[in-house]
Amino acid sequence: MVKCVNCGKGIPEDHIVYCDMCGASLCEECGTTGLCSTCAELWESEIDLEDMEAEQE
């Protein structure tokens, strides 16, 4: 059993989903977006930064 990095739920070895960016172990429910919570936050903040830069131009 491995723990999901998002929710902490135990995951059987054959049901692990991995984060597309960092490879962290996720349960099937948390892995629907393809990103762990840390990478999702980084991805969103990067998009916000790009939007801010675009507005300044």
Side-chain angles (χ1 to χ4, degrees), residues 11-26:
I11 316 163
E13 297 286 333
D14 57 338
H15 292 335
I16 298 173
V17 177
Y18 296 98
C19 173
D20 292 339
M21 292 180 76
C22 71
S25 303
L26 303 166

Side-chain angles (χ1 to χ4, degrees), residues 26-47:
L26 303 166
C27 66
E28 290 177 341
E29 187 176 316
C30 292
T32 57
T33 62
L35 299 173
C36 68
S37 57
T38 303
C39 289
E41 284 181 33
L42 291 172
W43 185 72
E44 281 190 34
S45 65
E46 187 174 308
I47 287 175

